[in-house]
Amino acid sequence: MTRVLAAAFLLVLSLTVPARAHVVEAGAELRVTQTFAAGEVTFVVAGVSSLPAPLRVSAQAVPATSLEFVLELRSLIDGSRSAGSVRAGQGYAALPVGHAGPYELRVQAGGEVSTIPFRVLVPASAVWTMVMDGAFLVAGLLAVGGVLTAGRSRLLVGGASASAAVAVTVMLLAPHLPAAPPEGAAPVAEAGRPYAQGRFSTLPARPAADAEFALTLRLADGATGRPLDDLTVHHEAPAHLIVTSEDGVVFRHVHPLRTAPGVLTVRLRVPRPGRYLAYAEIERQESGGQLLSGAFEVAGQARPEPPSRKTAMPRLTPAAPVAGTPVTIEISTEGRLQPWLGMPGHLIVRSRDGLHLAHAHGTAAGESALRFTLTLPDRGRYLAWAQYATGGRLVTRPFTMEVDR
Ligand SMILES: [Cu+2]
């Protein structure tokens, strides 16, 4: 009986000991989406578990592009550099890194450059993980002894049981115990940080319809006024920029490039003149999300609305949405959904006057439908755009919603 128990325990041991992955949060990959002229490109920096090691950087683009990205990695601690290149959807660049801590990854393609700050983190062991590992080891050794002596040594069997109890207890408590901060992590500030101030500008100052222009967002710390350069990547980008024409005909959801500390820029081209509203979703480190807004004018000849693209026919529940209470929106999608920015789908909703902007995340409702739930604050007409990826391309489907009461 004891022999069977000991053998069973050894089996459990062999399954549990190598699976210590739950503490290795630092080994997670980092995904950063940037809008290049070619389209949306997500750079994927694979996690590392020990150093020195090559940092693997790959790129995924929608729509697919064969553009080559030149990469340069620079340590902000000692200035050491490594370089490489990668094509979207093809393999990875291996950039050697010697130590944990802050780095900048410079990505360049076709005259556009973005410098992405990030941290290389290496998992550090907390004291309790060492206790757990030690207890498992002792239990294992004693259990082996127990098997060899056919369970005749009470000391061995008792010791194995006691060690196993300690190990299992620590393992069960593990999710509630504090993890050691990974090596290379930034010092944690106690409170959140001041609000960001954002100023939008265009180059040229008055862009023209159908001509490329640069839209720049300059971020400043609300307390000191200094350039704000501590954005954290959320939903796979440091900043999500929504640009809509005031009439809602034109919609862009892009991810600007960091061209200098606190300066985010994206190249745009819009087909219609008029007033445009810009919104940036950002998140400072150790702080909540913030929405910054601005506006700019595009010059050019007014012309009739272009034939509208495929609009969505949403199914609303309740069919007549009520201000201040949730509405569920279901839209059917063509083709199998691919995650986009870490989610099956996104829904951007703007009030007609532009004073309200919401961003909801969808859940897949079966193979070919997306479901969103959100609450619209007031009566009126809302312009909505559902976004998802399928078949290697991004789909944007506009529709409107009326809130009558
Ligand atoms: Cu975004």
Side-chain angles (χ1 to χ4, degrees):
M1 182 62 190
T2 318
R3 183 181 269 179
V4 173
L5 277 179
F9 179 67
L10 273 183
L11 180 67
V12 170
L13 193 65
S14 68
L15 294 175
T16 48
V17 168
R20 227 186 58 191
H22 59 281
V23 294
V24 191
E25 270 191 271
E29 68 179 20
L30 174 73
R31 301 172 63 87
V32 184
T33 303
Q34 301 275 272
T35 303
F36 281 83
E40 297 287 324
V41 184
T42 303
F43 295 94
V44 184
V45 182
V48 289
S49 52
S50 63
L51 288 174
L55 198 66
R56 292 179 175 190
V57 182
S58 57
Q60 303 164 355
V62 268
T65 169
S66 60
L67 205 61
E68 186 176 48
F69 295 91
V70 177
L71 309 174
E72 190 184 80
L73 186 69
R74 186 170 73 93
S75 161
L76 298 186
I77 290 178
D78 61 9
S80 58
R81 290 165 193 266
S82 53
S85 68
V86 69
R87 280 184 197 279
Q90 293 177 27
Y92 58 85
L95 307 174
V97 286
H99 52 78
Y103 283 81
E104 279 183 353
L105 177 66
R106 185 178 183 275
V107 296
Q108 183 246 313
E112 291 182 286
V113 179
S114 186
T115 304
I116 304 161
F118 71 105
R119 281 179 178 265
V120 172
L121 303 180
V122 178
S125 285
V127 172
W128 58 264
T129 60
M130 290 186 243
V131 169
M132 181 175 78
D133 291 351
F136 267 126
L137 183 68
V138 170
L141 292 175
L142 294 180
V144 169
V147 171
L148 293 180
T149 59
R152 278 191 291 274
S153 166
R154 279 194 187 169
L155 186 67
L156 286 177
V157 174
S161 307
S163 310
V166 169
V168 169
T169 305
V170 176
M171 195 175 78
L172 292 177
L173 286 175
H176 310 287
L177 294 173
E183 213 180 299
V188 176
E190 282 300 313
R193 302 187 181 190
Y195 278 116
Q197 291 170 356
R199 208 156 46 79
F200 286 93
S201 62
T202 59
L203 192 69
R206 177 103 180 175
D210 287 325
E212 192 179 84
F213 64 97
L215 176 63
T216 296
L217 172 62
R218 284 188 169 74
L219 296 169
D221 180 279
T224 65
R226 284 201 288 267
L228 185 157
D229 200 30
D230 60 359
L231 297 186
T232 175
V233 171
H234 71 290
H235 302 310
E236 302 192 354
H240 299 261
L241 200 57
I242 306 291
V243 175
T244 61
S245 58
E246 196 169 36
D247 62 8
V249 174
V250 181
F251 171 88
R252 300 281 187 274
H253 171 184
V254 291
H255 304 95
L257 310 181
R258 176 178 173 273
T259 52
V263 182
L264 303 175
T265 298
V266 66
R267 289 189 193 177
L268 290 176
R269 186 191 294 266
V270 294
R272 290 165 68 77
R275 187 175 158 84
Y276 282 76
L277 308 176
Y279 307 84
E281 290 178 7
I282 59 159
E283 204 174 300
R284 297 188 76 175
Q285 285 165 28
E286 299 139 30
S287 305
Q290 297 178 44
L291 186 67
L292 305 170
S293 59
F296 60 93
E297 296 283 339
V298 172
Q301 285 285 322
R303 57 175 126 160
E305 269 194 31
S308 68
R309 286 149 301 150
K310 194 176 177 188
T311 52
M313 291 295 287
R315 202 175 73 189
L316 305 182
T317 313
V322 178
T325 62
V327 56
T328 298
I329 301 155
E330 195 173 301
I331 64 158
S332 57
T333 58
E334 70 287 346
R336 186 179 287 273
L337 290 171
Q338 296 161 334
W340 171 236
L341 303 170
M343 303 284 166
H346 299 257
L347 180 70
I348 312 288
V349 177
R350 202 201 85 187
S351 61
R352 214 180 149 80
D353 60 11
L355 293 179
H356 175 76
L357 186 94
H359 180 171
H361 292 127
T363 51
E367 279 272 291
S368 56
L370 274 170
R371 191 177 295 143
F372 302 92
T373 298
L374 77 161
T375 297
L376 301 165
D378 285 306
R379 289 159 64 160
R381 170 172 285 190
Y382 290 85
L383 311 170
W385 298 267
Q387 284 198 302
Y388 52 89
T390 184
R393 67 197 176 94
L394 265 181
V395 180
T396 300
R397 294 179 64 191
F399 60 94
T400 57
M401 285 183 288
E402 301 286 348
V403 177
D404 292 331
R405 62 195 170 98

